[in-house]
Amino acid sequence: MAEAGISSVIGKVVDLLFGVAIKEISYMCNCSKNVEKYKKEADKLSSMKGRVQQHINLARSKGEDLLEGVEEWMKKADAEISKATQFTNGGEDQEKCFHLCTLRRCSKTAIKKTFSLQQHQEDGNRFETCVSVHAQAPGFTDLYQSKNLDDIGTHKSILKKIIGAIEDETIQIVGINGLGGVGKTTLASEVAKAIKNQFAAIVFVTVSRTVDVKMIQEKVGVVASRIMNGEKVLIILDDVWEELKLEELGIPCGSEYMKCKILLTSRSRDVCAAMNAQKNISVHPLQEEEAWTLFQRVVGKSEWNDTLKEVALKIVKECGGLPLFIQVVGKALKDKEIKIWEAALRRLQAPIDGDVTYKKEGILQLKLSYDHLEDEVAKSCFLLCSMFPEDGNIRLETLTHYGLALGIFNNPDSIHDTKDIVQLAVESLKSSFLLLPVDIKTPLFITFKEEEEELLKMHDLVRDMALFITSKGDDKFLVKSGKGLREWQPRSNVIKSYKKISLMENKISKLPDYELDLPYLDTLLIQMNEVSIVPDELFRGMKELKVLDMSGNNISSLPQSLTQLTKLHLLDLSGNRSLCEISILGGLSCLEILKLRRTGIINIPEEIGQLTNLRLLDVYFCYDLSYVTPGVISKLTMLEELYVELVQGDCNFTVELSKLTLLKILHLRVCELRYIPKIETLIEFDIGRPGCAMGLYKRCLQVSGYNKCSWTTPIRKLIQLSEMLTLSYIEDLDNILPDLYQEGFDELRHIVLRRCGNVRSLVKTCDLDGIQTSNESGPMKTKGKFFSHVEVIHLDHLDRLELLWDNPHQYISFCNLVEILIFNSSSLLKLFPISVAQGLVNLKGLTISNCESLVNVISDGDEQTTGSETELVKKDTNIVFSFDRIGLYNLPKLESFYSGHSIIKYPSLESLIVYNCPSIKRWSYGENHTTKIKFYDEERECSINDYIAGIHEKNGNFTYKGVAYAF
């Protein structure tokens, strides 16, 4: 028996040794094969890395934020590829593979490294489709780029003084004063950038000579309540010309509100003193060495030959140490030949005719940049901008229309082409610091992504320079805009030589009741005044007039002498709400642009059909308009842009739109859309019912009250082209997909569903599968995946809505979705399962309000989800959401945000509001990581689940922003 046992053990040992031997021999025999497989996997990883790098490059070009982990994955990929290259291409280990003694080790290493490469490829699969999320909209201090103040001791020391004064708890108001162009605004901006983390909010307001109290109150009002609540706020009032009463502006100040810091900039020390600045800091021009340092940085030179340096030093001296002038002159001379520099110096040193004040303020220095503009269109646009009030906003569209009517664009083919020409000219002017972009503040809570028109402005000294240019020569301007004038009664012989007159934005109520001899006048701007009567004599001496803007007055009737303006190309009467009768305009045969927006007209008369050269007609927001004379629209065959709103009355005139073969832009608000014909030339439209103009995107469509079965072919075509689609009161609509499968959504960016009583879901993937399988509805009309460009979903009063969509789908992608808003949907139980939520990689904002049946926002799965999908979701226990704001309001049955156990990370979440949700007991059943928001229970940091539990017994209402405390 003992021998048998021993024999059995020996047999097993032999078998084991034999197995090991076979395995080791396999390593040696398959060495080349294993190394070759390792090399192929390295090549595959290299290709994947290249594709991911392309995605990264594209994301960075768009200013987007890279997903967490992608950069680390790229670094590791580099390391793995480098190791593989060393191993397979001439490395020591490969050479040893040809010796029997190292075959085993070489083969085994290749197998192990091959597995590592395969694992890294698997980790990188998710980066092949998406590597980034949209970057958060920047604020003022984010947009401002800090200046290099190295070796500019004057500004560095002043900056330090200002910051010290603001940080002094005994000082509330700090004043910065100095000459125009000396750098006061720049220093104020540098201060804001340097100490932004010390304040809950920073407000920057440009005041200017003409104080707009209402505008200041609106800007300050945003933070006034925060100041009252004890938060630390910095308010910067830039370019103050006279004493301002802070209380009248709505700025809380005084000993009770010392956490409100106010920084003033003014050209007058006395103004700062009058406003009780406890610290008044004067800014002086730069020293010669500092000015030279700044000039070298602007022109991009550090090495000079003796001749050019001598000229350059003299030019810098002529700039008087004012940073604004140094930058403008340096930009104009950058990369120019020495003869240009010498000519510039002669111009700067030459005496100025007329008022010597211009020499003191450096007008010639600024004019130098204008003189070096190579584009005559840019020069003309620049001078037109001087007709607007100081610090006033200049609309690109207004500039385009004025220039088009004056013929400064060399007869472009269309108004749309003209806009491109003006945009290029404006970019040239901005690059030379002659025009400045207006910083349009984005609301903290973004409901819509509105593509606002660019606004421009002029620095006041640059505007002075432009006015200096236009005060001389043959093309003389008379500019009295924004001067507070109450009447204008000039002597005819004094103004006879002017070609352009601007009286806009005054309080003028009376115009000359005598004939003005203005034989050269081509532009008269009297908008935004208080004119009610236009004397008949006014226009008789203006035979050459091409641009007449009388918008924003109280004009009720038009003078007969208007018909004598036979060369008039642009007439703007917008905003004259008492103006009803416009038949007289039929005699202006050369008119190309006619604006009647917000007037009191009740019909478009037959005479308007005589304006056969009309390219733009605007009768938008004319709420009394109820009749368009048949045949008028069809006669206006040159129309390129048409804006019409008909609150009531016959809509048959829309049939005539088919005759407008040049029409590119159509904004149409009428009660009936069924008569709209197919218009192939449209590149922009805003079409829908009266009173609902959206203007959020270039192509917007609202369909209301029509069942799908009654939609005409033109309406379906417009749906296909729409960027924003609003569907209201569509009773036979159950969902967007598959109900609207045939329409295609290649351009769609914004969806609004409102009061569609039978909508149960946005997407019903099970029904969509059935349609695609049977192919009964024809081939897919979308070029890629459905909804791949959608950024905003807005749902309101959908009484039967139960969920948004149930499962991920191969033909559906919401990868660009940024915002979801849902209101008043009483049957909504949940939005979507976690498997869908994981695909919403760019979703930033979520707002849900008054959905009384909502139990969970995101569910852990779905009853229709297959077993394999459910398993995938449960395995993925570490999920990242890109939310930066979440708002949940009046949800009485809400129990949790997420009903599952996965670990959820919220790296971007900054604002979290939950209001009147009494049933909420936890945020989710798993861990939640909010990087930017911390929760505290009795000064002890806790999780969001513990935080909610700590207040659940009270009222279930809480607001998070930044740091939260249980109460």
Side-chain angles (χ1 to χ4, degrees):
M1 290 292 293
E3 291 179 358
I6 294 172
S7 176
S8 175
V9 170
I10 292 173
K12 290 180 180 180
V13 170
V14 170
D15 288 342
L16 287 173
L17 291 175
F18 184 75
V20 171
I22 292 296
K23 189 174 182 180
E24 295 300 320
I25 292 170
S26 175
Y27 281 139
M28 291 184 285
C29 293
N30 295 316
C31 179
S32 297
K33 181 179 178 181
N34 291 336
V35 170
E36 184 61 27
K37 184 177 180 181
Y38 178 36
K39 184 176 181 180
K40 288 181 180 179
E41 290 299 324
D43 291 340
K44 287 168 64 176
L45 179 60
S46 180
S47 297
M48 174 182 279
K49 174 179 170 292
R51 293 191 295 272
V52 174
Q53 185 64 54
Q54 289 178 333
H55 288 307
I56 291 173
N57 293 342
L58 180 61
R60 284 173 172 164
S61 70
K62 294 179 179 179
E64 296 176 342
D65 294 331
L66 295 182
L67 289 176
E68 184 178 357
V70 65
E71 291 180 302
E72 289 75 8
W73 185 89
M74 290 289 286
K75 289 178 181 178
K76 187 174 179 181
D78 273 332
E80 293 286 356
I81 293 168
S82 178
K83 291 177 182 177
T85 302
Q86 182 179 2
F87 185 85
T88 60
N89 293 334
E92 181 181 352
D93 285 338
Q94 186 190 15
E95 292 296 327
K96 290 182 179 179
C97 284
F98 293 101
H99 300 281
L100 186 60
C101 61
T102 59
L103 283 176
R104 171 188 167 278
R105 181 172 61 84
C106 184
S107 180
K108 193 171 183 179
T109 301
I111 291 173
K112 182 178 179 181
K113 292 186 175 182
T114 298
F115 176 78
S116 178
L117 291 180
Q118 291 171 335
Q119 183 62 47
H120 198 58
Q121 290 176 66
E122 185 176 343
D123 293 342
N125 284 335
R126 63 191 180 109
F127 299 131
E128 290 223 70
T129 55
C130 184
V131 299
S132 63
V133 294
H134 286 306
Q136 184 178 1
F140 162 71
T141 53
D142 299 314
L143 292 171
Y144 178 76
Q145 295 184 356
S146 294
K147 304 296 186 292
N148 182 1
L149 299 182
D150 292 341
D151 300 320
I152 303 180
T154 299
H155 279 185
K156 286 187 71 173
S157 62
I158 291 174
L159 183 64
K160 186 176 180 180
K161 288 180 182 178
I162 299 170
I163 293 174
I166 291 175
E167 292 177 339
D168 189 332
E169 294 182 357
T170 64
I171 296 175
Q172 182 173 46
I173 303 175
V174 179
I176 310 174
N177 59 80
L179 185 64
V182 79
K184 302 182 296 296
T185 301
T186 297
L187 284 167
S189 301
E190 289 287 335
V191 169
K193 187 82 170 182
I195 61 177
K196 65 178 182 179
N197 294 331
Q198 298 182 30
F199 291 88
I202 296 177
V203 178
F204 194 106
V205 183
T206 302
V207 179
S208 77
R209 295 181 191 177
T210 305
V211 181
D212 187 343
V213 175
K214 185 177 180 181
M215 178 272 291
I216 298 174
Q217 289 173 336
E218 289 176 351
K219 288 194 172 185
V220 172
V222 176
V223 296
S225 60
R226 301 178 69 174
I227 296 171
M228 303 284 284
N229 290 332
E231 291 189 64
K232 196 172 181 181
V233 173
L234 173 62
I235 297 175
I236 300 174
L237 300 176
D238 185 46
D239 197 20
V240 180
W241 287 78
E242 60 187 32
E243 180 185 355
L244 302 175
K245 301 295 184 183
L246 298 179
E247 295 84 358
E248 295 176 3
L249 298 177
I251 301 176
C253 59
S255 57
E256 295 180 6
Y257 305 105
M258 289 301 291
K259 287 189 177 181
C260 174
K261 299 286 186 173
I262 301 166
L263 180 62
L264 312 172
T265 77
S266 177
R267 297 187 185 189
S268 170
R269 184 181 181 88
D270 292 341
V271 169
C272 294
M275 293 186 65
N276 298 316
Q278 292 103 323
K279 186 72 172 179
N280 213 343
I281 301 171
S282 295
V283 182
H284 301 289
L286 301 179
Q287 300 295 323
E288 286 187 14
E289 290 186 3
E290 295 171 339
W292 174 243
T293 297
L294 178 59
F295 183 78
Q296 289 186 96
R297 289 174 184 164
V298 174
V299 299
K301 290 181 69 69
S302 58
E303 297 181 3
W304 304 78
N305 62 56
D306 292 341
T307 304
L308 184 58
K309 185 174 182 179
E310 181 181 0
V311 174
L313 286 169
K314 291 179 179 178
I315 288 173
V316 172
K317 186 176 181 180
E318 291 297 323
C319 291
L322 299 179
L324 173 65
F325 304 145
I326 293 171
Q327 292 185 49
V328 171
V329 174
K331 186 76 173 180
L333 295 177
K334 187 176 182 179
D335 300 326
K336 296 295 190 299
E337 299 176 1
I338 187 171
K339 62 181 182 181
I340 303 296
W341 290 60
E342 292 170 340
L345 178 58
R346 290 193 295 270
R347 296 291 302 275
L348 290 170
Q349 292 176 333
I352 300 177
D353 295 332
D355 191 352
V356 295
T357 301
Y358 286 111
K359 177 66 175 180
K360 292 181 180 179
E361 296 206 34
I363 294 302
L364 280 185
Q365 292 94 323
L366 293 170
K367 186 176 181 296
L368 182 63
S369 188
Y370 169 83
D371 291 337
H372 282 286
L373 288 173
E374 298 176 356
D375 184 5
E376 291 300 321
V377 170
K379 284 188 172 183
S380 298
C381 289
F382 171 72
L383 297 180
L384 283 177
C385 289
S386 70
M387 303 183 75
F388 293 82
E390 180 184 333
D391 286 321
N393 292 340
I394 305 164
R395 294 179 65 216
L396 202 64
E397 180 185 82
T398 303
L399 199 59
T400 300
H401 291 166
Y402 286 174
L404 187 68
L406 292 169
I408 67 175
F409 302 130
N410 300 320
N411 300 316
D413 293 335
S414 68
I415 298 175
H416 187 264
D417 291 342
T418 305
K419 293 176 183 177
D420 293 337
I421 295 172
V422 176
Q423 185 66 62
L424 289 174
V426 165
E427 291 302 320
S428 173
L429 293 169
K430 288 196 298 184
S431 68
S432 299
F433 304 106
L434 294 176
L435 282 182
L436 304 172
V438 174
D439 180 24
I440 302 173
K441 296 294 183 182
T442 303
L444 176 64
F445 185 81
I446 304 172
T447 302
F448 301 110
K449 181 179 179 180
E450 181 172 355
E451 299 183 343
E452 299 191 38
E453 181 190 2
E454 182 177 9
L455 297 177
L456 307 161
K457 65 187 298 184
M458 278 182 147
H459 189 284
D460 49 4
L461 293 178
V462 173
R463 181 173 178 270
D464 286 342
M465 177 265 288
L467 294 175
F468 173 75
I469 295 172
T470 58
S471 67
K472 303 178 183 298
D474 296 331
D475 194 11
K476 292 178 65 176
F477 291 17
L478 176 64
V479 179
K480 298 291 184 181
S481 55
K483 295 291 186 181
L485 301 180
R486 294 189 175 274
E487 65 175 26
W488 184 60
Q489 303 290 324
R491 288 180 295 169
S492 187
N493 62 323
V494 174
I495 63 172
K496 182 176 181 178
S497 61
Y498 287 104
K499 290 192 71 173
K500 294 175 176 61
I501 296 177
S502 175
L503 304 170
M504 70 171 78
E505 297 190 30
N506 283 291
K507 298 180 180 179
I508 297 173
S509 59
K510 185 178 180 181
L511 293 171
D513 56 1
Y514 49 87
E515 183 176 333
L516 295 173
D517 184 18
L518 293 165
Y520 312 110
L521 190 69
D522 62 19
T523 303
L524 178 60
L525 309 179
I526 55 177
Q527 67 263 40
M528 304 304 293
N529 277 284
E530 299 173 3
V531 176
S532 57
I533 298 175
V534 182
D536 192 53
E537 297 82 3
L538 182 64
F539 299 123
R540 289 180 179 174
M542 305 179 185
K543 307 296 185 183
E544 297 295 319
L545 200 62
K546 295 180 179 179
V547 174
L548 176 58
D549 194 335
M550 298 192 291
S551 61
N553 283 284
N554 303 314
I555 299 169
S556 58
S557 62
L558 301 174
Q560 191 63 35
S561 62
L562 191 65
T563 60
Q564 299 181 21
L565 303 179
T566 57
K567 296 184 179 180
L568 193 64
H569 290 166
L570 181 151
L571 176 61
D572 194 344
L573 296 167
S574 303
N576 289 283
R577 297 182 182 274
S578 299
L579 181 63
C580 301
E581 176 55 46
I582 59 170
S583 298
I584 191 175
L585 301 180
L588 303 175
S589 58
C590 288
L591 205 59
E592 296 184 1
I593 298 175
L594 176 58
K595 299 182 180 182
L596 299 165
R597 181 175 292 215
R598 298 188 187 279
T599 59
I601 61 173
I602 59 177
N603 68 81
I604 299 179
E606 182 180 359
E607 289 81 359
I608 297 299
Q610 300 172 23
L611 304 178
T612 55
N613 287 305
L614 207 59
R615 303 170 70 179
L616 184 153
L617 174 61
D618 187 350
V619 289
Y620 228 38
F621 303 120
C622 297
Y623 298 120
D624 296 322
L625 180 62
S626 60
Y627 185 69
V628 180
T629 303
V632 169
I633 298 298
S634 60
K635 291 178 181 177
L636 306 178
T637 57
M638 300 299 292
L639 271 182
E640 301 173 27
E641 299 186 16
L642 177 61
Y643 305 80
V644 181
E645 181 169 18
L646 206 67
V647 177
Q648 56 185 343
D650 191 350
C651 303
N652 286 340
F653 76 92
T654 57
V655 175
E656 300 178 37
L657 295 175
S658 62
K659 303 294 184 182
L660 307 182
T661 58
L662 300 178
L663 192 65
K664 293 182 179 294
I665 297 176
L666 175 63
H667 287 219
L668 181 68
R669 290 285 154 181
V670 291
C671 297
E672 290 282 351
L673 300 183
R674 67 185 65 183
Y675 303 116
I676 296 177
K678 190 174 182 179
I679 309 172
E680 298 285 357
T681 54
L682 288 183
I683 60 174
E684 178 182 323
F685 57 83
D686 188 343
I687 299 173
R689 296 182 65 84
C692 300
M694 294 172 282
L696 304 176
Y697 298 90
K698 289 186 177 181
R699 295 185 298 279
C700 303
L701 177 66
Q702 181 202 23
V703 182
S704 180
Y706 295 98
N707 287 341
K708 300 199 312 283
C709 59
S710 64
W711 290 355
T712 62
T713 299
I715 290 178
R716 293 181 181 275
K717 179 63 176 178
L718 289 171
I719 290 175
Q720 291 179 21
L721 297 174
S722 294
E723 292 179 293
M724 179 175 182
L725 176 63
T726 301
L727 300 177
S728 306
Y729 298 96
I730 311 296
E731 293 302 323
D732 61 345
L733 186 67
D734 181 71
N735 49 64
I736 296 294
L737 278 181
D739 274 17
L740 302 184
Y741 178 83
Q742 281 295 299
E743 312 310 327
F745 303 104
D746 292 328
E747 308 296 332
L748 195 59
R749 297 168 61 189
H750 191 131
I751 304 172
V752 180
L753 292 184
R754 185 177 288 117
R755 296 188 182 276
C756 297
N758 289 307
V759 168
R760 297 179 182 275
S761 63
L762 192 67
V763 178
K764 205 166 185 180
T765 56
C766 57
D767 288 354
L768 183 60
D769 287 333
I771 288 179
Q772 290 168 336
T773 302
S774 64
N775 202 28
E776 292 176 357
S777 298
M780 289 178 59
K781 289 194 174 182
T782 186
K783 296 175 183 176
K785 292 188 176 183
F786 286 105
F787 305 118
S788 59
H789 298 296
V790 170
E791 298 167 346
V792 179
I793 295 175
H794 185 165
L795 310 176
D796 191 8
H797 281 93
L798 302 180
D799 294 336
R800 296 191 179 183
L801 180 70
E802 296 177 356
L803 79 166
L804 297 196
W805 59 94
D806 46 12
N807 296 311
H809 195 278
Q810 59 179 330
Y811 292 121
I812 296 174
S813 171
F814 282 95
C815 60
N816 285 305
L817 186 62
V818 176
E819 188 98 28
I820 296 178
L821 303 106
I822 305 177
F823 305 97
N824 307 298
S825 298
S826 56
S827 299
L828 183 66
L829 300 174
K830 59 188 175 184
L831 265 63
F832 32 66
I834 189 69
S835 56
V836 170
Q838 286 178 276
L840 306 179
V841 294
N842 286 309
L843 184 60
K844 294 293 186 182
L846 175 64
T847 302
I848 308 175
S849 177
N850 296 304
C851 297
E852 56 196 52
S853 299
L854 187 71
V855 177
N856 309 117
V857 176
I858 300 173
S859 65
D860 193 31
D862 189 88
E863 61 273 9
Q864 297 176 355
T865 304
T866 66
S868 60
E869 289 170 336
T870 303
E871 183 180 357
L872 178 62
V873 171
K874 289 184 176 179
K875 279 185 176 180
D876 191 359
T877 58
N878 203 326
I879 300 170
V880 178
F881 285 152
S882 56
F883 294 111
D884 60 23
R885 60 194 180 280
I886 297 174
L888 307 174
Y889 307 86
N890 302 316
L891 308 173
K893 294 185 179 180
L894 182 70
E895 296 178 0
S896 64
F897 182 78
Y898 167 51
S899 63
H901 295 79
S902 297
I903 299 172
I904 309 293
K905 294 182 178 180
Y906 301 87
S908 303
L909 188 63
E910 294 182 337
S911 175
L912 175 56
I913 300 175
V914 181
Y915 177 78
N916 196 21
C917 301
S919 299
I920 189 168
K921 300 177 181 178
R922 61 183 59 83
W923 190 251
S924 76
Y925 290 86
E927 294 182 24
N928 300 277
H929 301 282
T930 55
T931 306
K932 296 185 177 181
I933 299 180
K934 296 186 183 300
F935 302 91
Y936 293 90
D937 184 0
E938 298 180 354
E939 299 186 357
R940 177 183 61 84
E941 186 172 348
C942 62
S943 69
I944 184 173
N945 283 335
D946 291 340
Y947 180 86
I948 294 173
I951 63 172
H952 178 65
E953 297 302 325
K954 296 186 179 181
N955 61 4
N957 302 332
F958 48 95
T959 300
Y960 315 101
K961 190 172 178 65
V963 178
Y965 293 88
F967 56 86

